[in-house]
Amino acid sequence: MAEEKAKRTGRIRQMVEIYRTTKVHDRNLPWALLLCFVAPVAVSVVLALLLSDNWFGWVLWPVTGLLVGILLVMIVLGRRAEKVAYQQIEGRPGAVGAVVQSALRRSWRGSEVPVAINRNQDAVYRVVGRGGIVLISEGSRQRTQRMAADEERKIKRAMRNVEIVHLYVGPDGEGIPLARLSKTLVKLKPKLNRNEVAAVYNRLSSLQAAPVGIPKGMDPNRIRAQRPR
């Protein structure tokens, strides 16, 4: 009982901290959450008055609206907090690593440490999943093209039959916005099953030694908003 109570208290504190951090950069957040909570409750009360003819319905409808309102508040808060977090790190070195570390689904495996990086901190990350091997370039598109091509040649020497997909996250050309990277990976056509994903990832990990001095990805969930001056 004590452990469960501590967990609930910790979750509440975490939600409050997320709200405070997000509110600094999203001034419409309080009104959005208020609308998400009030609207279902108001609708449920109206439905109770119109459709119920006993005390059970008068209680059930408002309680349902209350629960729906709380659920909507949690969903909207999470999405808006995620949006603000991505805005805070987008364009900074290691941003893709943060997504690889904390936002990818279980069907994808990768490291927050890039497999290639240059002096300008342009980097190439590698992830393995149902969509095959994916090389994600971060930084200048012109500078990362050669880095990604070199990495592709290294991979093909070890695994010739696995398809390699190239993605680019950055401001040049038709780059993928950081917030859409995870969704883009999920939408790739499946080419490997779960066992093949593990085998390919382990094989590539054994061939790749982590370079020295590479910045690790930033965790969007741990970024603290700057206080307004």
Side-chain angles (χ1 to χ4, degrees):
M1 295 293 294
E3 293 182 358
E4 293 181 358
K5 184 177 180 181
K7 289 182 179 179
R8 287 196 297 267
T9 303
R11 290 173 184 171
I12 294 174
R13 289 178 180 177
Q14 184 180 18
M15 295 295 292
V16 171
E17 182 63 25
I18 291 174
Y19 171 79
R20 290 175 178 174
T21 303
T22 307
K23 183 182 175 182
V24 174
H25 301 277
D26 186 354
R27 296 183 178 180
N28 294 324
L29 179 64
W31 300 109
L33 297 183
L34 180 63
L35 178 62
C36 290
F37 180 77
V38 171
V41 174
V43 171
S44 65
V45 171
V46 173
L47 291 176
L49 295 175
L50 295 177
L51 303 179
S52 301
D53 56 359
N54 54 63
W55 66 269
F56 181 77
W58 295 335
V59 173
L60 180 62
W61 280 106
V63 170
T64 302
L66 181 65
L67 295 177
V68 172
I70 294 174
L71 179 61
L72 286 178
V73 167
M74 294 178 65
I75 293 174
V76 172
L77 176 59
R79 291 184 176 180
R80 296 183 79 124
E82 183 181 49
K83 181 180 179 181
V84 169
Y86 280 129
Q87 290 175 346
Q88 290 296 102
I89 68 174
E90 189 164 12
R92 296 170 58 182
V96 170
V99 177
V100 171
Q101 179 189 24
S102 60
L104 291 187
R105 298 186 179 181
R106 295 181 180 179
S107 57
W108 287 89
R109 302 183 65 179
S111 173
E112 61 180 311
V113 179
V115 294
I117 192 170
N118 61 20
R119 66 181 64 183
N120 297 305
Q121 292 190 317
D122 303 311
V124 176
Y125 296 81
R126 183 186 65 222
V127 296
V128 180
R130 296 293 302 275
I133 300 174
V134 181
L135 296 176
I136 308 171
S137 300
E138 173 189 64
S140 168
R141 186 162 199 163
Q142 183 178 3
R143 292 193 296 261
T144 56
Q145 282 181 339
R146 184 173 179 179
M147 296 165 58
D150 291 341
E151 185 61 29
E152 180 178 0
R153 283 192 290 269
K154 295 177 184 177
I155 295 172
K156 286 186 174 180
R157 285 197 294 266
M159 311 193 74
R160 299 179 180 179
N161 298 326
V162 180
E163 184 173 345
I164 300 174
V165 178
H166 290 265
L167 298 179
Y168 169 70
V169 177
D172 303 339
E174 299 178 356
I176 301 171
L178 185 66
R180 294 187 59 84
L181 176 57
S182 181
K183 294 181 180 179
T184 302
L185 288 170
V186 172
K187 290 181 180 179
L188 292 177
K189 184 179 179 180
K191 303 178 183 69
L192 301 174
N193 59 40
R194 183 177 300 178
N195 294 332
E196 290 172 337
V197 169
V200 171
Y201 177 77
N202 292 334
R203 171 63 174 165
L204 294 178
S205 298
S206 65
L207 297 175
Q208 179 73 43
V212 178
I214 290 181
K216 293 185 178 182
M218 299 166 288
D219 188 347
N221 298 321
R222 296 182 178 179
I223 290 181
R224 295 185 178 179
Q226 297 179 353
R227 296 182 180 178
R229 297 180 179 178

PDB file of all heavy atoms in Angstrom, residues 126 133 135 148-166 200 203-204 207-208:
ATOM      1  N   ARG A 126      22.236   5.377 -36.609  1.00  0.00           N
ATOM      2  CA  ARG A 126      21.773   4.141 -37.226  1.00  0.00           C
ATOM      3  C   ARG A 126      20.778   3.451 -36.299  1.00  0.00           C
ATOM      4  O   ARG A 126      21.047   3.260 -35.113  1.00  0.00           O
ATOM      5  CB  ARG A 126      22.955   3.202 -37.482  1.00  0.00           C
ATOM      6  CG  ARG A 126      22.570   1.900 -38.212  1.00  0.00           C
ATOM      7  CD  ARG A 126      23.750   0.960 -38.308  1.00  0.00           C
ATOM      8  NE  ARG A 126      24.178   0.506 -36.984  1.00  0.00           N
ATOM      9  CZ  ARG A 126      25.453   0.403 -36.604  1.00  0.00           C
ATOM     10  NH1 ARG A 126      26.427   0.726 -37.428  1.00  0.00           N
ATOM     11  NH2 ARG A 126      25.753  -0.019 -35.386  1.00  0.00           N
ATOM     12  N   ILE A 133      17.415  -1.403 -41.995  1.00  0.00           N
ATOM     13  CA  ILE A 133      18.443  -0.539 -41.409  1.00  0.00           C
ATOM     14  C   ILE A 133      18.211   0.883 -41.902  1.00  0.00           C
ATOM     15  O   ILE A 133      18.097   1.123 -43.102  1.00  0.00           O
ATOM     16  CB  ILE A 133      19.851  -1.002 -41.819  1.00  0.00           C
ATOM     17  CG1 ILE A 133      20.103  -2.442 -41.349  1.00  0.00           C
ATOM     18  CG2 ILE A 133      20.921  -0.066 -41.235  1.00  0.00           C
ATOM     19  CD1 ILE A 133      21.407  -3.025 -41.844  1.00  0.00           C
ATOM     20  N   LEU A 135      19.566   4.871 -41.748  1.00  0.00           N
ATOM     21  CA  LEU A 135      20.592   5.849 -41.411  1.00  0.00           C
ATOM     22  C   LEU A 135      19.940   7.222 -41.365  1.00  0.00           C
ATOM     23  O   LEU A 135      19.339   7.666 -42.347  1.00  0.00           O
ATOM     24  CB  LEU A 135      21.719   5.823 -42.442  1.00  0.00           C
ATOM     25  CG  LEU A 135      22.518   4.513 -42.522  1.00  0.00           C
ATOM     26  CD1 LEU A 135      23.547   4.594 -43.643  1.00  0.00           C
ATOM     27  CD2 LEU A 135      23.201   4.206 -41.204  1.00  0.00           C
ATOM     28  N   ALA A 148      26.879   9.499 -44.683  1.00  0.00           N
ATOM     29  CA  ALA A 148      25.882   8.435 -44.750  1.00  0.00           C
ATOM     30  C   ALA A 148      26.253   7.401 -45.804  1.00  0.00           C
ATOM     31  O   ALA A 148      26.054   6.194 -45.607  1.00  0.00           O
ATOM     32  CB  ALA A 148      24.507   9.028 -45.040  1.00  0.00           C
ATOM     33  N   ALA A 149      26.801   7.872 -46.934  1.00  0.00           N
ATOM     34  CA  ALA A 149      27.215   6.937 -47.989  1.00  0.00           C
ATOM     35  C   ALA A 149      28.356   6.045 -47.519  1.00  0.00           C
ATOM     36  O   ALA A 149      28.383   4.840 -47.810  1.00  0.00           O
ATOM     37  CB  ALA A 149      27.632   7.724 -49.235  1.00  0.00           C
ATOM     38  N   ASP A 150      29.302   6.615 -46.783  1.00  0.00           N
ATOM     39  CA  ASP A 150      30.414   5.808 -46.245  1.00  0.00           C
ATOM     40  C   ASP A 150      29.895   4.760 -45.269  1.00  0.00           C
ATOM     41  O   ASP A 150      30.354   3.613 -45.269  1.00  0.00           O
ATOM     42  CB  ASP A 150      31.437   6.716 -45.548  1.00  0.00           C
ATOM     43  CG  ASP A 150      32.189   7.605 -46.528  1.00  0.00           C
ATOM     44  OD1 ASP A 150      32.199   7.277 -47.737  1.00  0.00           O
ATOM     45  OD2 ASP A 150      32.763   8.623 -46.093  1.00  0.00           O
ATOM     46  N   GLU A 151      28.945   5.155 -44.440  1.00  0.00           N
ATOM     47  CA  GLU A 151      28.389   4.215 -43.475  1.00  0.00           C
ATOM     48  C   GLU A 151      27.613   3.110 -44.183  1.00  0.00           C
ATOM     49  O   GLU A 151      27.650   1.947 -43.767  1.00  0.00           O
ATOM     50  CB  GLU A 151      27.473   4.960 -42.494  1.00  0.00           C
ATOM     51  CG  GLU A 151      26.938   4.106 -41.366  1.00  0.00           C
ATOM     52  CD  GLU A 151      28.032   3.530 -40.500  1.00  0.00           C
ATOM     53  OE1 GLU A 151      29.094   4.161 -40.391  1.00  0.00           O
ATOM     54  OE2 GLU A 151      27.808   2.444 -39.917  1.00  0.00           O
ATOM     55  N   GLU A 152      26.927   3.459 -45.260  1.00  0.00           N
ATOM     56  CA  GLU A 152      26.188   2.446 -46.022  1.00  0.00           C
ATOM     57  C   GLU A 152      27.135   1.404 -46.606  1.00  0.00           C
ATOM     58  O   GLU A 152      26.838   0.197 -46.588  1.00  0.00           O
ATOM     59  CB  GLU A 152      25.381   3.101 -47.133  1.00  0.00           C
ATOM     60  CG  GLU A 152      24.590   2.099 -47.969  1.00  0.00           C
ATOM     61  CD  GLU A 152      23.748   2.765 -49.038  1.00  0.00           C
ATOM     62  OE1 GLU A 152      23.781   4.012 -49.127  1.00  0.00           O
ATOM     63  OE2 GLU A 152      23.059   2.042 -49.776  1.00  0.00           O
ATOM     64  N   ARG A 153      28.272   1.852 -47.116  1.00  0.00           N
ATOM     65  CA  ARG A 153      29.242   0.912 -47.675  1.00  0.00           C
ATOM     66  C   ARG A 153      29.775  -0.035 -46.589  1.00  0.00           C
ATOM     67  O   ARG A 153      29.974  -1.231 -46.828  1.00  0.00           O
ATOM     68  CB  ARG A 153      30.394   1.675 -48.332  1.00  0.00           C
ATOM     69  CG  ARG A 153      30.038   2.266 -49.693  1.00  0.00           C
ATOM     70  CD  ARG A 153      31.275   2.754 -50.418  1.00  0.00           C
ATOM     71  NE  ARG A 153      31.828   3.948 -49.773  1.00  0.00           N
ATOM     72  CZ  ARG A 153      31.482   5.182 -50.109  1.00  0.00           C
ATOM     73  NH1 ARG A 153      30.579   5.394 -51.067  1.00  0.00           N
ATOM     74  NH2 ARG A 153      32.009   6.223 -49.486  1.00  0.00           N
ATOM     75  N   LYS A 154      30.008   0.493 -45.405  1.00  0.00           N
ATOM     76  CA  LYS A 154      30.475  -0.349 -44.310  1.00  0.00           C
ATOM     77  C   LYS A 154      29.429  -1.423 -43.953  1.00  0.00           C
ATOM     78  O   LYS A 154      29.768  -2.579 -43.710  1.00  0.00           O
ATOM     79  CB  LYS A 154      30.757   0.509 -43.069  1.00  0.00           C
ATOM     80  CG  LYS A 154      31.904   1.498 -43.241  1.00  0.00           C
ATOM     81  CD  LYS A 154      32.052   2.335 -41.978  1.00  0.00           C
ATOM     82  CE  LYS A 154      33.131   3.394 -42.152  1.00  0.00           C
ATOM     83  NZ  LYS A 154      33.248   4.268 -40.944  1.00  0.00           N
ATOM     84  N   ILE A 155      28.177  -1.007 -43.926  1.00  0.00           N
ATOM     85  CA  ILE A 155      27.113  -1.946 -43.572  1.00  0.00           C
ATOM     86  C   ILE A 155      26.980  -3.034 -44.626  1.00  0.00           C
ATOM     87  O   ILE A 155      26.836  -4.222 -44.311  1.00  0.00           O
ATOM     88  CB  ILE A 155      25.775  -1.197 -43.393  1.00  0.00           C
ATOM     89  CG1 ILE A 155      25.854  -0.240 -42.198  1.00  0.00           C
ATOM     90  CG2 ILE A 155      24.626  -2.188 -43.195  1.00  0.00           C
ATOM     91  CD1 ILE A 155      24.649   0.664 -42.064  1.00  0.00           C
ATOM     92  N   LYS A 156      27.046  -2.649 -45.882  1.00  0.00           N
ATOM     93  CA  LYS A 156      26.856  -3.617 -46.959  1.00  0.00           C
ATOM     94  C   LYS A 156      27.998  -4.628 -47.023  1.00  0.00           C
ATOM     95  O   LYS A 156      27.797  -5.748 -47.514  1.00  0.00           O
ATOM     96  CB  LYS A 156      26.718  -2.887 -48.298  1.00  0.00           C
ATOM     97  CG  LYS A 156      25.365  -2.197 -48.460  1.00  0.00           C
ATOM     98  CD  LYS A 156      25.203  -1.599 -49.841  1.00  0.00           C
ATOM     99  CE  LYS A 156      23.799  -1.040 -50.030  1.00  0.00           C
ATOM    100  NZ  LYS A 156      23.605  -0.451 -51.371  1.00  0.00           N
ATOM    101  N   ARG A 157      29.154  -4.248 -46.546  1.00  0.00           N
ATOM    102  CA  ARG A 157      30.235  -5.219 -46.505  1.00  0.00           C
ATOM    103  C   ARG A 157      29.956  -6.321 -45.492  1.00  0.00           C
ATOM    104  O   ARG A 157      30.405  -7.458 -45.635  1.00  0.00           O
ATOM    105  CB  ARG A 157      31.571  -4.519 -46.171  1.00  0.00           C
ATOM    106  CG  ARG A 157      32.160  -3.734 -47.328  1.00  0.00           C
ATOM    107  CD  ARG A 157      33.633  -3.438 -47.091  1.00  0.00           C
ATOM    108  NE  ARG A 157      33.840  -2.540 -45.962  1.00  0.00           N
ATOM    109  CZ  ARG A 157      33.959  -1.223 -46.060  1.00  0.00           C
ATOM    110  NH1 ARG A 157      33.896  -0.639 -47.270  1.00  0.00           N
ATOM    111  NH2 ARG A 157      34.154  -0.477 -44.997  1.00  0.00           N
ATOM    112  N   ALA A 158      29.201  -5.977 -44.452  1.00  0.00           N
ATOM    113  CA  ALA A 158      28.886  -6.958 -43.415  1.00  0.00           C
ATOM    114  C   ALA A 158      27.561  -7.665 -43.664  1.00  0.00           C
ATOM    115  O   ALA A 158      27.410  -8.840 -43.368  1.00  0.00           O
ATOM    116  CB  ALA A 158      28.854  -6.279 -42.048  1.00  0.00           C
ATOM    117  N   MET A 159      26.587  -6.911 -44.224  1.00  0.00           N
ATOM    118  CA  MET A 159      25.253  -7.480 -44.442  1.00  0.00           C
ATOM    119  C   MET A 159      24.740  -6.985 -45.790  1.00  0.00           C
ATOM    120  O   MET A 159      24.246  -5.865 -45.901  1.00  0.00           O
ATOM    121  CB  MET A 159      24.307  -7.069 -43.309  1.00  0.00           C
ATOM    122  CG  MET A 159      24.880  -7.280 -41.923  1.00  0.00           C
ATOM    123  SD  MET A 159      23.663  -7.163 -40.613  1.00  0.00           S
ATOM    124  CE  MET A 159      22.792  -8.690 -40.821  1.00  0.00           C
ATOM    125  N   ARG A 160      24.858  -7.812 -46.796  1.00  0.00           N
ATOM    126  CA  ARG A 160      24.538  -7.388 -48.155  1.00  0.00           C
ATOM    127  C   ARG A 160      23.056  -7.445 -48.478  1.00  0.00           C
ATOM    128  O   ARG A 160      22.593  -6.763 -49.388  1.00  0.00           O
ATOM    129  CB  ARG A 160      25.312  -8.256 -49.149  1.00  0.00           C
ATOM    130  CG  ARG A 160      26.826  -8.157 -48.997  1.00  0.00           C
ATOM    131  CD  ARG A 160      27.524  -9.056 -50.000  1.00  0.00           C
ATOM    132  NE  ARG A 160      28.988  -8.971 -49.865  1.00  0.00           N
ATOM    133  CZ  ARG A 160      29.842  -9.666 -50.594  1.00  0.00           C
ATOM    134  NH1 ARG A 160      29.378 -10.508 -51.525  1.00  0.00           N
ATOM    135  NH2 ARG A 160      31.144  -9.529 -50.408  1.00  0.00           N
ATOM    136  N   ASN A 161      22.316  -8.263 -47.784  1.00  0.00           N
ATOM    137  CA  ASN A 161      20.935  -8.514 -48.174  1.00  0.00           C
ATOM    138  C   ASN A 161      19.902  -7.686 -47.414  1.00  0.00           C
ATOM    139  O   ASN A 161      18.710  -7.865 -47.629  1.00  0.00           O
ATOM    140  CB  ASN A 161      20.611 -10.006 -47.983  1.00  0.00           C
ATOM    141  CG  ASN A 161      21.477 -10.896 -48.857  1.00  0.00           C
ATOM    142  OD1 ASN A 161      21.831 -10.514 -49.975  1.00  0.00           O
ATOM    143  ND2 ASN A 161      21.832 -12.066 -48.341  1.00  0.00           N
ATOM    144  N   VAL A 162      20.347  -6.809 -46.531  1.00  0.00           N
ATOM    145  CA  VAL A 162      19.414  -5.990 -45.753  1.00  0.00           C
ATOM    146  C   VAL A 162      19.299  -4.614 -46.399  1.00  0.00           C
ATOM    147  O   VAL A 162      20.305  -3.955 -46.674  1.00  0.00           O
ATOM    148  CB  VAL A 162      19.881  -5.855 -44.293  1.00  0.00           C
ATOM    149  CG1 VAL A 162      18.905  -5.001 -43.501  1.00  0.00           C
ATOM    150  CG2 VAL A 162      20.019  -7.223 -43.656  1.00  0.00           C
ATOM    151  N   GLU A 163      18.066  -4.194 -46.624  1.00  0.00           N
ATOM    152  CA  GLU A 163      17.849  -2.892 -47.265  1.00  0.00           C
ATOM    153  C   GLU A 163      18.187  -1.747 -46.306  1.00  0.00           C
ATOM    154  O   GLU A 163      17.900  -1.805 -45.110  1.00  0.00           O
ATOM    155  CB  GLU A 163      16.401  -2.764 -47.715  1.00  0.00           C
ATOM    156  CG  GLU A 163      16.109  -1.473 -48.471  1.00  0.00           C
ATOM    157  CD  GLU A 163      14.718  -1.432 -49.060  1.00  0.00           C
ATOM    158  OE1 GLU A 163      14.080  -2.508 -49.123  1.00  0.00           O
ATOM    159  OE2 GLU A 163      14.272  -0.347 -49.449  1.00  0.00           O
ATOM    160  N   ILE A 164      18.799  -0.700 -46.876  1.00  0.00           N
ATOM    161  CA  ILE A 164      19.195   0.467 -46.086  1.00  0.00           C
ATOM    162  C   ILE A 164      18.371   1.672 -46.536  1.00  0.00           C
ATOM    163  O   ILE A 164      18.310   1.986 -47.729  1.00  0.00           O
ATOM    164  CB  ILE A 164      20.691   0.762 -46.237  1.00  0.00           C
ATOM    165  CG1 ILE A 164      21.520  -0.436 -45.753  1.00  0.00           C
ATOM    166  CG2 ILE A 164      21.077   2.021 -45.449  1.00  0.00           C
ATOM    167  CD1 ILE A 164      23.002  -0.294 -45.983  1.00  0.00           C
ATOM    168  N   VAL A 165      17.746   2.333 -45.588  1.00  0.00           N
ATOM    169  CA  VAL A 165      16.931   3.515 -45.859  1.00  0.00           C
ATOM    170  C   VAL A 165      17.644   4.742 -45.302  1.00  0.00           C
ATOM    171  O   VAL A 165      18.194   4.697 -44.194  1.00  0.00           O
ATOM    172  CB  VAL A 165      15.535   3.381 -45.225  1.00  0.00           C
ATOM    173  CG1 VAL A 165      14.705   4.635 -45.480  1.00  0.00           C
ATOM    174  CG2 VAL A 165      14.825   2.143 -45.751  1.00  0.00           C
ATOM    175  N   HIS A 166      17.644   5.834 -46.062  1.00  0.00           N
ATOM    176  CA  HIS A 166      18.262   7.086 -45.620  1.00  0.00           C
ATOM    177  C   HIS A 166      17.182   8.105 -45.272  1.00  0.00           C
ATOM    178  O   HIS A 166      16.256   8.340 -46.054  1.00  0.00           O
ATOM    179  CB  HIS A 166      19.169   7.654 -46.721  1.00  0.00           C
ATOM    180  CG  HIS A 166      20.404   6.856 -46.962  1.00  0.00           C
ATOM    181  ND1 HIS A 166      21.619   7.152 -46.371  1.00  0.00           N
ATOM    182  CD2 HIS A 166      20.620   5.754 -47.724  1.00  0.00           C
ATOM    183  CE1 HIS A 166      22.527   6.272 -46.774  1.00  0.00           C
ATOM    184  NE2 HIS A 166      21.944   5.420 -47.598  1.00  0.00           N
ATOM    185  N   VAL A 200      20.262  -8.555 -36.745  1.00  0.00           N
ATOM    186  CA  VAL A 200      20.935  -7.501 -37.507  1.00  0.00           C
ATOM    187  C   VAL A 200      21.537  -6.466 -36.577  1.00  0.00           C
ATOM    188  O   VAL A 200      22.681  -6.027 -36.751  1.00  0.00           O
ATOM    189  CB  VAL A 200      19.947  -6.835 -38.487  1.00  0.00           C
ATOM    190  CG1 VAL A 200      20.565  -5.595 -39.119  1.00  0.00           C
ATOM    191  CG2 VAL A 200      19.538  -7.812 -39.578  1.00  0.00           C
ATOM    192  N   ARG A 203      24.609  -7.853 -34.825  1.00  0.00           N
ATOM    193  CA  ARG A 203      25.712  -8.000 -35.780  1.00  0.00           C
ATOM    194  C   ARG A 203      26.382  -6.651 -36.039  1.00  0.00           C
ATOM    195  O   ARG A 203      27.614  -6.530 -35.994  1.00  0.00           O
ATOM    196  CB  ARG A 203      25.175  -8.574 -37.095  1.00  0.00           C
ATOM    197  CG  ARG A 203      26.161  -8.585 -38.248  1.00  0.00           C
ATOM    198  CD  ARG A 203      27.358  -9.452 -37.968  1.00  0.00           C
ATOM    199  NE  ARG A 203      28.214  -9.560 -39.139  1.00  0.00           N
ATOM    200  CZ  ARG A 203      29.458 -10.002 -39.110  1.00  0.00           C
ATOM    201  NH1 ARG A 203      30.005 -10.388 -37.965  1.00  0.00           N
ATOM    202  NH2 ARG A 203      30.173 -10.082 -40.218  1.00  0.00           N
ATOM    203  N   LEU A 204      25.591  -5.618 -36.267  1.00  0.00           N
ATOM    204  CA  LEU A 204      26.157  -4.295 -36.531  1.00  0.00           C
ATOM    205  C   LEU A 204      26.809  -3.714 -35.281  1.00  0.00           C
ATOM    206  O   LEU A 204      27.828  -3.019 -35.375  1.00  0.00           O
ATOM    207  CB  LEU A 204      25.059  -3.356 -37.039  1.00  0.00           C
ATOM    208  CG  LEU A 204      24.466  -3.700 -38.409  1.00  0.00           C
ATOM    209  CD1 LEU A 204      23.352  -2.722 -38.759  1.00  0.00           C
ATOM    210  CD2 LEU A 204      25.540  -3.679 -39.493  1.00  0.00           C
ATOM    211  N   LEU A 207      30.306  -4.819 -34.823  1.00  0.00           N
ATOM    212  CA  LEU A 207      31.266  -4.291 -35.794  1.00  0.00           C
ATOM    213  C   LEU A 207      31.595  -2.831 -35.549  1.00  0.00           C
ATOM    214  O   LEU A 207      32.608  -2.335 -36.033  1.00  0.00           O
ATOM    215  CB  LEU A 207      30.708  -4.432 -37.215  1.00  0.00           C
ATOM    216  CG  LEU A 207      30.457  -5.857 -37.712  1.00  0.00           C
ATOM    217  CD1 LEU A 207      29.793  -5.811 -39.080  1.00  0.00           C
ATOM    218  CD2 LEU A 207      31.763  -6.638 -37.783  1.00  0.00           C
ATOM    219  N   GLN A 208      30.737  -2.141 -34.816  1.00  0.00           N
ATOM    220  CA  GLN A 208      30.870  -0.699 -34.642  1.00  0.00           C
ATOM    221  C   GLN A 208      31.374  -0.359 -33.254  1.00  0.00           C
ATOM    222  O   GLN A 208      30.724  -0.649 -32.255  1.00  0.00           O
ATOM    223  CB  GLN A 208      29.516  -0.006 -34.855  1.00  0.00           C
ATOM    224  CG  GLN A 208      29.552   1.499 -34.671  1.00  0.00           C
ATOM    225  CD  GLN A 208      30.256   2.204 -35.811  1.00  0.00           C
ATOM    226  OE1 GLN A 208      30.041   1.871 -36.962  1.00  0.00           O
ATOM    227  NE2 GLN A 208      31.078   3.169 -35.497  1.00  0.00           N
TER     228      GLN A 208
END
